[in-house]
Amino acid sequence: MSPPTDARTLAWAYLSQVALGPCAPLVELAAAVGPEAAADAVRTADLPEVLRTRTEARRHLDTAERDLDRLLRLGGRLLTPDDEDWPAWKLLAFDGIESRRDREAAVPLALWTLGAASVAELTDRAIGVVGTRAATGYGEHVTTQFVDDLAGAGWTVVSGAAYGIDGVAHRAALAAGAPTVAVLACGLDRAYPAGHARLLRDVADTGLVLSEYPLGTTPARHRFLARNRLVAGLSDAVLVVEAGARSGARNTAAWAARLGRPVLAVPGPVTSAASVGCHRMIREGTAQLVARAADVIESAGPVAVGDDESGPVRRLDVLSATEARVYEALPTAGPVAVRALSESSGLPLAAVRGALPALELEGLVGQDDTGWFRRT
Amino acid sequence: MSPPTDARTLAWAYLSQVALGPCAPLVELAAAVGPEAAADAVRTADLPEVLRTRTEARRHLDTAERDLDRLLRLGGRLLTPDDEDWPAWKLLAFDGIESRRDREAAVPLALWTLGAASVAELTDRAIGVVGTRAATGYGEHVTTQFVDDLAGAGWTVVSGAAYGIDGVAHRAALAAGAPTVAVLACGLDRAYPAGHARLLRDVADTGLVLSEYPLGTTPARHRFLARNRLVAGLSDAVLVVEAGARSGARNTAAWAARLGRPVLAVPGPVTSAASVGCHRMIREGTAQLVARAADVIESAGPVAVGDDESGPVRRLDVLSATEARVYEALPTAGPVAVRALSESSGLPLAAVRGALPALELEGLVGQDDTGWFRRT
């Protein structure tokens, strides 16, 4: 017996099924009027032109109840922006993307997930580890070594479950006893690639398999690109271990860059075609060279702010990069308004608003009638 | 029978023997009053305090005639700033080093050379190729490949004749039929390392072996560091193929950086200790990653200036980086004084003065009573 599903969740599932991938205007509509009103508007095509066109082909697919029922029977759940476990802070980075006209640069409407782990917790300190399907022995060895060290340091590995580097990354995390997150470009009922069906079950056992696509969705090229954006979106940094000249890993790296997150690449022999993409990114300055897991943590890790070596620095160690940036933007004395903080930090309003409560919980900031201030 | 040696050359040889390495104040004195008067001043200790102290221990070594005689019998010659073949333009970069208090950051007083090739010609387009003595098979393979391609593109390899990468670089150049330049940290009569005696003879056959130290000088740690500065000083860029965590190659790279020349490093497996230094330099941003010879040429090559795709660009291709910078600093119309050019280009006066005649020879600039101007 599955628990009764509330109307809001049904609305999210419907919107996810209709959109079938990233759709910024629908995300905005749902945020503005709520998922149920948004779903009603889609059903009746009571929409602005751009959304009417975008939803026309699929708005009749009112299959949410059946979709959720199937998901529950698989042992999965639908994670929505209503859930406490929604990785809202991680996904705030999408608000920072400049071109709001890019409908692909959107947070997902909902995430279809398998596995009991908490998305927000697992992705709190996460590295996207990606690379070519045509991995070499060197690439596999290096991936295993990096992931083992990252897992030991408490970092979650997020990847795409593809053959090659992705698969090795998930396996190495599991071998290290660490939960790992696999993001699919298809429905959770489609093990893709088929050869990784067992691996995906193992990932779900302790970690998470997730997709923004409803069950039954088949993989397609544009869905891999949309999936790459989520791997980057759920990670603090993206690490490319091996990438050929035209590897999809470079797409994931490009997403990380758009989201303002570090792109890291492992060098290899210049004689290896599987390292050409990594070398090119480093040479072009779009990726930072990392030679060991400690380099990854140094580049991606929570930013320590403040100069004195006493207590506060220790506390600041636990901050995300966004939180640290907001904290640094606060004047040393006196309160300041959120809008001013957004300006001085260069972060979008929503990101600042998301970071302040965490800083308050840490006892680092306080607020009064006039704004937010540093606690000393 | 050796040809009679003129008094100026004897003076340079004397100064070189007394200084026994880089000595900025002595270079300045010789430039100001000429080598003969400088030599007289040293002999009689009629010197400013700093130079009196610096030359005290060796000013009695008035062995120039004997030194030059021995050099001639070896088949060598003393190259001095008086010679047309003196690589003055290359060495101008030392004028750009900010800290003039650094007595080590000096052009050599003279160069003791073996080999009939022209120093100025060979170093006109030159890459310093350096690396660890503990080269791996990978490093040797990559060095050979890079040098073969560089030689094929008309670039001279300058190195230090040490075991490991240095030796492989010289050998690969010779194998490609290209003259190469070996800079020693000891007198030309001391084949160092001894195992490279045959290699050094081969280098001198078609290229050059040179040293700022008179015959008989033994190698010493500080002389290797001074030698590294000349490898960098005679090159348009320094390429580090393999370097351990504490490789001397990083010292050569540091000299290149001080001279404003590109530092390039080849990545390798992160599992290889011989690539640790290269990876660190790339990660720290002190070296640019290069994965093939074409990358080296792109980074080090003569700078093309001007935007139109017609004739002038082709001509500008042959300019050195300094010449290109001076040319770019010229206004599109009207004459400008040398001092103003120095200011606008950010290059020292001497560098501007050195570059203008070459630009005039190329027909790119002209001069009138009021200054220099671009020819269109």
Side-chain angles (χ1 to χ4, degrees):
Chain A
M1 285 298 295
S2 27
T5 305
D6 65 275
R8 277 180 76 94
T9 307
L10 281 166
W12 284 120
Y14 168 72
L15 294 172
S16 175
Q17 179 66 271
V18 172
L20 206 67
C23 182
L26 200 48
V27 169
E28 276 163 28
L29 180 67
V33 303
E36 290 164 282
D40 283 344
V42 170
R43 275 189 203 95
T44 56
D46 179 17
L47 295 165
E49 179 61 22
V50 59
L51 265 178
R52 204 166 351 150
T53 313
R54 172 72 171 76
T55 58
E56 193 162 26
R58 299 180 57 86
R59 68 172 176 248
H60 63 285
L61 295 170
D62 210 342
T63 56
E65 208 149 348
R66 195 195 65 193
D67 292 342
L68 287 172
D69 193 52
R70 284 176 60 205
L71 178 64
L72 285 170
R73 271 185 280 126
L74 272 180
R77 66 196 163 113
L78 188 73
L79 193 67
T80 77
D82 297 335
D83 289 293
E84 275 197 19
D85 195 23
W86 183 254
W89 292 3
K90 256 313 174 319
L91 297 175
L92 272 176
F94 282 98
D95 290 347
I97 290 186
E98 275 178 37
S99 166
R100 297 307 303 162
R101 294 173 54 205
D102 183 352
R103 273 180 275 164
E104 307 301 308
V107 299
L109 285 154
L111 288 171
W112 307 71
T113 72
L114 282 178
S118 151
V119 178
E121 258 178 46
L122 274 199
T123 59
D124 181 45
R125 299 211 303 162
I127 306 289
V129 179
V130 298
T132 179
R133 277 166 304 192
T136 68
Y138 168 74
E140 293 178 355
H141 172 79
V142 168
T143 303
T144 303
Q145 190 62 60
F146 272 70
V147 167
D148 192 54
D149 291 346
L150 288 172
W155 289 80
T156 301
V157 165
V158 180
S159 193
Y163 287 130
I165 300 296
D166 285 26
V168 175
H170 290 303
R171 280 201 185 88
L174 294 174
T180 173
V181 178
V183 187
L184 302 189
C186 56
L188 297 176
D189 53 338
R190 308 273 166 136
Y192 185 91
H196 278 175
R198 169 69 185 275
L199 172 64
L200 288 168
R201 278 197 301 275
D202 290 346
V203 168
D205 271 350
T206 55
L208 286 163
V209 178
L210 50 86
S211 172
E212 71 182 308
Y213 298 101
L215 301 188
T217 310
T218 52
R221 183 177 149 68
H222 68 278
R223 289 183 193 131
F224 286 106
L225 301 178
R227 183 274 308 274
N228 294 345
R229 117 189 170 285
L230 283 189
V231 169
L234 293 172
S235 303
D236 290 280
V238 163
L239 171 66
V240 184
V241 182
E242 281 190 321
R246 300 186 300 173
S247 169
R250 296 189 68 186
N251 174 253
T252 313
W255 272 112
R258 291 187 70 187
L259 294 168
R261 289 177 179 156
V263 179
L264 314 170
V266 181
V270 295
T271 47
S272 166
S275 288
V276 164
C278 290
H279 294 156
R280 192 177 297 166
M281 289 191 294
I282 296 167
R283 179 162 167 79
E284 289 169 351
T286 52
Q288 247 187 303
L289 181 148
V290 287
R292 55 206 177 116
D295 293 341
V296 177
I297 294 168
E298 184 186 302
S299 295
V303 181
V305 289
D307 284 329
D308 57 55
E309 299 188 4
S310 52
V313 174
R314 188 172 303 275
R315 237 175 357 183
L316 294 171
D317 278 351
V318 302
L319 299 186
S320 73
T322 301
E323 290 155 18
R325 211 160 127 191
V326 171
Y327 181 81
E328 284 175 327
L330 281 164
T332 45
V336 62
V338 172
R339 184 165 297 277
L341 265 180
S342 165
E343 279 173 25
S344 58
S345 67
L347 290 166
L349 268 178
V352 174
R353 285 203 191 98
L356 285 167
L359 290 167
E360 192 172 24
L361 274 175
E362 291 288 334
L364 293 166
V365 306
Q367 60 173 318
D368 62 18
D369 293 349
T370 53
W372 294 81
F373 53 85
R374 277 194 197 198
R375 289 194 187 282
T376 44
Chain B
M1 287 295 296
S2 27
T5 304
D6 65 276
R8 277 179 77 94
T9 306
L10 282 166
W12 284 119
Y14 168 71
L15 294 172
S16 174
Q17 181 65 273
V18 172
L20 205 69
C23 182
L26 200 49
V27 168
E28 276 163 29
L29 180 67
V33 303
E36 290 165 280
D40 283 343
V42 170
R43 275 191 203 96
T44 55
D46 179 18
L47 295 164
E49 178 63 22
V50 59
L51 264 179
R52 203 163 353 146
T53 313
R54 173 71 171 78
T55 57
E56 194 162 25
R58 298 180 57 86
R59 67 170 178 250
H60 63 284
L61 295 170
D62 210 342
T63 58
E65 207 150 347
R66 196 195 65 193
D67 292 344
L68 287 172
D69 192 52
R70 285 175 61 203
L71 178 64
L72 284 170
R73 271 184 282 125
L74 272 181
R77 67 195 163 113
L78 188 73
L79 193 68
T80 78
D82 295 335
D83 288 294
E84 273 198 21
D85 195 23
W86 183 255
W89 293 2
K90 257 308 173 327
L91 297 175
L92 273 176
F94 283 98
D95 291 346
I97 291 186
E98 275 178 38
S99 166
R100 297 308 302 162
R101 295 172 54 202
D102 183 353
R103 274 179 273 164
E104 307 301 307
V107 299
L109 285 154
L111 289 170
W112 306 72
T113 73
L114 282 177
S118 150
V119 179
E121 258 176 46
L122 274 199
T123 59
D124 182 45
R125 299 210 304 161
I127 306 289
V129 180
V130 297
T132 180
R133 277 165 305 191
T136 68
Y138 168 73
E140 294 178 354
H141 172 79
V142 168
T143 304
T144 303
Q145 191 62 61
F146 271 70
V147 168
D148 192 54
D149 292 345
L150 288 171
W155 289 80
T156 301
V157 165
V158 179
S159 193
Y163 287 130
I165 300 296
D166 286 24
V168 175
H170 290 304
R171 279 201 186 89
L174 294 174
T180 173
V181 178
V183 187
L184 302 189
C186 56
L188 297 176
D189 53 338
R190 309 270 166 138
Y192 186 91
H196 278 176
R198 169 68 186 275
L199 172 63
L200 288 168
R201 279 198 300 275
D202 290 346
V203 168
D205 271 351
T206 55
L208 286 162
V209 179
L210 51 86
S211 173
E212 70 181 311
Y213 298 102
L215 300 189
T217 311
T218 53
R221 184 177 148 68
H222 67 278
R223 291 187 192 130
F224 286 107
L225 301 178
R227 183 274 308 274
N228 293 344
R229 115 189 171 285
L230 284 190
V231 170
L234 293 172
S235 303
D236 291 280
V238 162
L239 171 67
V240 184
V241 182
E242 280 189 321
R246 300 188 299 172
S247 170
R250 297 187 68 186
N251 173 252
T252 314
W255 272 112
R258 291 187 72 189
L259 294 168
R261 288 177 179 156
V263 178
L264 314 170
V266 181
V270 295
T271 47
S272 166
S275 288
V276 165
C278 290
H279 294 156
R280 193 178 295 167
M281 289 192 295
I282 297 167
R283 179 163 167 78
E284 288 169 351
T286 52
Q288 247 187 303
L289 182 149
V290 288
R292 55 204 178 117
D295 293 341
V296 177
I297 294 168
E298 184 187 302
S299 294
V303 182
V305 289
D307 284 328
D308 56 54
E309 299 188 6
S310 51
V313 175
R314 188 172 302 274
R315 235 174 357 180
L316 295 171
D317 278 351
V318 302
L319 300 186
S320 74
T322 302
E323 290 155 18
R325 212 160 126 191
V326 171
Y327 181 81
E328 284 175 327
L330 280 164
T332 45
V336 61
V338 172
R339 184 165 298 277
L341 264 180
S342 166
E343 280 174 25
S344 58
S345 66
L347 289 166
L349 269 177
V352 175
R353 286 205 190 96
L356 286 167
L359 290 168
E360 192 173 23
L361 273 175
E362 290 288 335
L364 292 166
V365 306
Q367 59 173 319
D368 61 19
D369 293 348
T370 54
W372 294 81
F373 53 86
R374 277 194 197 197
R375 289 195 186 282
T376 44

